[in-house]
Amino acid sequence: MLALEQLLISLAEPSQVQAQIITKALEAMGAAQIEVHPSGRELIEQARQRRPNLIISAYHLPDITGAELVRELRESDDLYDLPFILISSETNPERLETIRQAGSLAILPKPFTPEEFDLAMQSVMSFLNCPSLGAEVDSDMALMNVLIVDDSSTSRHHIRQVLEKLGFEHFCEAASSEAAIPYLEQEPFKLIITDYHMPGMDGLDFARHVRSSGLQPDTPVMMITSDSDNIGKDDLEDAGIAACCQKPFDMDKMRELIRTLLNEY
């Protein structure tokens, strides 16, 4: 199990003042290995030479944005699985949504409070040290099929990465509800995970289709969304959603929800 003092942390922050603030916050928690880079490209180049355990980035960098940085990480063959945190004064919802979809473990404001920073680092450590669910569920997870439905390829990739940590091995992925329907007709799934906002049929309508069609009647559907505050409990129940998780999601909460679903369904 990794401890915070063992982590190599790469920080992309062009402001020396902000870099010092973040570095001191990390050191106060016990971090001992922190590399600061003034640009995103430099961070990526150095990460390929000396792979970090965690990447922290501002949104506004001199060469690329934080969104472009995390997207490049997720689409790479060697850095795709690195935990990522955004610390930024950026408040544009669309820009921040891109970061959420890419699987950022936390999005912190500038300035952040000690409590916010502590929660973010707890999320990182939970992600890095997440144990498999294999010993806590009634069935062999190596035999379970999972369907992931999300129009964002980076989001699907992050969800799959989390599920692999939990012990799943077999996945089908669909970029839309419509594309997922043929999968439902071809093979049984132990778990279906869907995004809410998607072009065409959204996640609620997709879950309703699953239930009304009689396809996979006993398979729990989990929704992962950054808009859970605007989805009513009645809407979730009406659609047959078994659990709903907020983006960015807490790893421990995600693990417990999936453990419960696997044992109850």
Side-chain angles (χ1 to χ4, degrees):
M1 179 174 290
L2 284 171
L4 182 57
E5 57 266 24
Q6 296 175 292
L7 302 188
L8 173 59
I9 301 172
S10 288
L11 168 63
E13 174 55 72
S15 165
Q16 291 185 359
V17 173
Q18 291 296 327
Q20 288 178 353
I21 291 172
I22 297 168
T23 297
K24 287 181 179 179
L26 288 166
E27 290 174 342
M29 297 184 69
Q33 303 179 77
I34 306 163
E35 296 180 346
V36 179
H37 306 282
S39 69
R41 296 293 180 199
E42 179 181 304
L43 183 147
I44 292 172
E45 180 181 346
Q46 290 299 313
R48 289 200 161 101
Q49 297 178 26
R50 191 167 180 242
R51 181 182 170 87
N53 302 104
L54 168 65
I55 289 178
I56 301 175
S57 178
Y59 188 90
H60 297 286
L61 301 170
D63 51 351
I64 57 177
T65 66
E68 291 169 331
L69 170 58
V70 70
R71 184 169 62 247
E72 188 163 331
L73 293 173
R74 295 292 180 252
E75 293 176 353
S76 69
D77 294 329
D78 52 348
L79 304 175
Y80 66 91
D81 57 345
L82 292 179
F84 180 90
I85 289 178
L86 181 78
I87 301 180
S88 177
S89 57
E90 178 59 62
T91 59
N92 184 296
E94 292 183 3
R95 291 176 175 175
L96 295 181
E97 181 63 20
T98 301
I99 301 291
R100 291 189 181 93
Q101 292 292 343
S104 179
L105 294 183
I107 298 176
L108 298 182
K110 290 180 180 177
F112 52 80
T113 66
E115 293 77 16
E116 289 171 329
F117 195 75
D118 183 61
L119 284 173
M121 293 308 296
Q122 286 183 35
S123 181
V124 170
M125 300 312 296
S126 294
F127 178 83
L128 291 173
N129 294 318
C130 181
S132 169
L133 282 169
E136 302 176 42
V137 298
D138 298 331
S139 304
D140 185 354
M141 295 188 69
L143 303 178
M144 297 180 186
N145 294 324
V146 181
L147 176 61
I148 303 170
V149 188
D150 197 310
D151 61 309
S152 166
S153 60
T154 53
S155 182
R156 292 198 308 273
H157 189 96
H158 179 65
I159 293 169
R160 177 169 177 161
Q161 178 191 356
V162 169
L163 294 176
E164 286 174 344
K165 278 182 168 289
L166 296 179
F168 292 101
E169 298 181 12
H170 300 289
F171 306 91
C172 290
E173 297 182 26
S176 68
S177 298
E178 291 80 3
I181 292 173
Y183 286 121
L184 298 172
E185 300 169 347
Q186 294 168 10
E187 58 183 296
F189 292 98
K190 184 65 176 179
L191 177 66
I192 298 171
I193 296 182
T194 181
D195 188 25
Y196 172 43
H197 286 295
M198 293 183 288
M201 187 187 297
D202 66 22
L204 290 176
D205 288 337
F206 172 65
R208 291 189 184 98
H209 176 82
V210 173
R211 298 301 174 224
S212 65
S213 67
L215 300 170
Q216 318 271 345
D218 300 321
T219 303
V221 179
M222 170 183 277
M223 179 173 287
I224 300 179
T225 178
S226 57
D227 197 28
S228 61
D229 290 342
N230 295 320
I231 306 174
K233 184 178 179 181
D234 291 342
D235 292 329
L236 295 173
E237 292 179 354
D238 177 70
I241 301 293
C244 186
C245 202
Q246 176 79 13
K247 292 180 184 178
F249 51 79
D250 177 86
M251 189 70 185
D252 291 336
K253 180 179 179 181
M254 179 78 158
R255 185 180 187 279
E256 179 59 24
L257 284 173
I258 292 179
R259 186 191 67 80
T260 299
L261 293 178
L262 294 183
N263 285 327
E264 288 186 353
Y265 286 83

